[in-house]
Amino acid sequence: MLDQEELRTFAERGFLVVPQVVPHELIADAATSIDRLIDAAPPGTEVRGPHFYWPRARRVPALLSLLTDSPAFALAESLTKPGTLVVPEQVQVALNIPPYAHRPGGPHIDGFPPERDGRPGTFTLLAGVLMSDQVEEDAGNLWAWPGTHLTHAKYFRQHGPHAFFEARGYPPVALPEPVQIRGRAGDLLLAHYLLGHNIGGNTAEQTRRAVYFRVKRTGHDRRWREFLQNPWLDYDALATQPK
């Protein structure tokens, strides 16, 4: 379970890095699965920067185990409520291949273009497992804009949830200084869906690896309009936090 200080940090900043959540043996098995994905569809020698794989979770059980066979899923549910999160059907393997001298100009939120039914691709939280060490900046780190989960929610309260489609993933809100997510292989990133984030550069020697899961609370899809305006709708542990 997350403690009160961790809950407070998540509520204020919109994200939290919990160190060494995933055991080494699960990381090793998942790394082998990633190697197989790369061998089957290599990115090409000319590719630099972000490169993704989107396998179905049931096809890569070693990757899903990072979430379900470690404390990660229970930690995520300590933000919502035990028994409320749905195991995702898809996994994202995110590479950041050097050299990639890039600095993002601003953040985005996921979910655009919309789903086939016209609903934006919202979810409750992002759970990310670092698969390589990222202890320095500009090593392929994910960038985050702290507190923007709250300013995005305020924007949608003011302009209505359908402003999501007009914003196309980039709501025009005031931005704080960004931070680069740092950590080591086995660390767990928990991030609110509404947190502004983006891909950073990689001037290190090593390809950055991470595995991301987009996790929903039961019943999330039918409440997406309310969720965009109330950042704590899916989060029982944080329901009394300021919006």
Side-chain angles (χ1 to χ4, degrees):
M1 296 287 290
L2 299 175
D3 61 30
Q4 288 302 309
E5 181 63 21
E6 290 170 324
L7 292 174
R8 183 193 63 78
T9 297
F10 185 92
E12 292 181 357
R13 294 170 66 82
F15 69 94
L16 178 70
V17 178
V18 187
Q20 298 303 285
V21 169
V22 181
H24 174 77
E25 58 270 20
L26 294 183
I27 293 292
D29 290 345
T32 299
S33 288
I34 293 173
D35 290 341
R36 290 172 180 162
L37 290 173
I38 295 172
D39 289 343
T45 57
E46 77 287 353
V47 174
R48 296 292 181 268
H51 187 78
F52 305 129
Y53 298 90
W54 301 89
R56 305 296 290 179
R58 67 177 181 273
R59 294 177 179 264
V60 283
L63 297 185
L64 186 60
S65 287
L66 296 170
L67 181 69
T68 58
D69 293 333
S70 77
F73 198 74
L75 288 171
E77 285 197 322
S78 68
L79 291 165
T80 57
K81 186 179 179 180
T84 58
L85 294 181
V86 180
V87 175
E89 297 181 354
Q90 191 173 54
V91 180
Q92 180 189 11
V93 175
L95 308 181
N96 194 322
I97 303 170
Y100 183 53
H102 169 72
R103 300 186 72 82
H108 69 270
I109 55 176
D110 294 336
F112 192 90
E115 306 288 343
R116 292 181 180 179
D117 62 2
R119 183 190 64 82
T122 63
F123 49 90
T124 301
L125 61 85
L126 182 73
V129 177
L130 303 189
M131 295 295 298
S132 60
D133 292 348
Q134 300 152 54
V135 295
E136 303 292 340
E137 293 190 348
D138 302 319
N141 317 56
L142 183 71
W143 287 40
W145 279 256
T148 49
H149 60 309
L150 301 178
T151 49
H152 283 140
K154 181 178 179 181
Y155 177 84
F156 291 125
R157 286 197 299 273
Q158 292 174 339
H159 298 276
H162 285 276
F164 176 93
F165 301 104
E166 299 172 8
R168 304 174 68 88
Y170 294 87
V173 300
L175 296 174
E177 287 296 315
V179 299
Q180 298 190 38
I181 303 299
R182 301 189 193 190
R184 296 188 180 277
D187 290 359
L188 173 69
L189 167 69
L190 296 173
H192 196 289
Y193 165 76
L194 285 169
L195 179 73
H197 61 281
N198 219 328
I199 298 167
N202 188 356
T203 58
E205 296 182 358
Q206 180 185 25
T207 293
R208 190 291 307 265
R209 291 184 173 194
V211 175
Y212 294 121
F213 303 92
R214 287 158 174 79
V215 186
K216 296 180 183 179
R217 180 169 177 150
T218 303
H220 172 91
D221 286 357
R222 66 176 178 267
R223 304 195 301 172
W224 68 265
R225 295 173 182 85
E226 188 178 358
F227 177 75
L228 286 177
Q229 301 172 84
N230 177 4
W232 309 128
L233 183 66
D234 285 358
Y235 292 83
D236 289 23
L238 303 171
T240 61
Q241 294 294 320
K243 300 176 184 178

